Amino acid sequence: MHATTILMVRKGGRVVIGGDGQVSLGQTIVKGNARKVRRLSKGTVLGGFAGATADAFTLFERLEAKLEQYPGQLTRACVELTKDWRTDRYLRRLEAMMLVADREVSLLLSGAGDVLEPEGGVMAIGSGGNYALAAARALEDQDLDAETIVRRALGIAAEICVYTNGNLVIESLEAA
């Protein structure tokens, strides 16, 4: 997926998801301040997306519905969403990936049916995701909080990935 970087870090009693603001169409920057990270389920869940914007908004709406159906059960809601994503004729054409987190769990969701929990509390998606992931892993054993790690790692990714910029949106929750 081109045109974004989303990073999630769980450390020191907090979970933080951050993303850049760049939207690219081919080799052209269309927008530099998009909001790809948001709060869901009355602020109790964080989510970030990489991929086609309309597809991601559709998935956020579907996840909101699943969270209403299974309140306080993020993993169950995500499993049910990915089941629909894989089997529904319309949904399976959606091209996006999502990182979601609540106070207890962090997950990566994909249209391939993946519902993955990160090793070590760090996960990233998008075209600059591997750069941000490597930077965050290098920073996580230092005396830095989760938000500082996210900001620095996304800054590093923005210096390397042409599809990532430094206009960041950061959301955080106190972890359980």
Side-chain angles (χ1 to χ4, degrees), residues 99 108 133 147 164:
L99 291 180
L108 177 144
L133 179 64
E147 184 171 337
T164 303

Side-chain angles (χ1 to χ4, degrees), residues 11-24:
K11 181 181 178 184
R14 295 189 71 73
V15 60
V16 179
I17 296 181
D20 76 309
Q22 185 164 305
V23 176
S24 302

Side-chain angles (χ1 to χ4, degrees), residues 42-85:
K42 299 177 184 165
T44 63
V45 173
L46 304 177
F49 71 86
T53 306
D55 294 355
F57 286 138
T58 299
L59 292 168
F60 274 145
E61 289 173 9
R62 296 285 181 126
L63 180 57
E64 282 277 14
K66 294 296 183 185
L67 289 166
E68 287 177 18
Q69 189 176 357
Y70 305 105
Q73 300 177 63
L74 180 61
T75 302
R76 172 98 189 262
C78 289
V79 168
E80 294 299 324
L81 173 65
T82 55
K83 279 188 205 175
D84 291 350
W85 196 351

Side-chain angles (χ1 to χ4, degrees), residues 73-116:
Q73 300 177 63
L74 180 61
T75 302
R76 172 98 189 262
C78 289
V79 168
E80 294 299 324
L81 173 65
T82 55
K83 279 188 205 175
D84 291 350
W85 196 351
R86 290 265 307 152
T87 59
D88 183 274
R89 179 175 273 169
Y90 167 73
L91 290 178
R92 76 174 149 229
R93 298 180 207 270
L94 300 183
E95 296 182 14
M97 292 183 81
M98 298 171 67
L99 291 180
V100 295
D102 66 7
R103 293 172 39 97
E104 298 162 2
V105 67
S106 302
L107 301 167
L108 177 144
L109 311 178
S110 81
D114 298 313
V115 179
L116 302 172

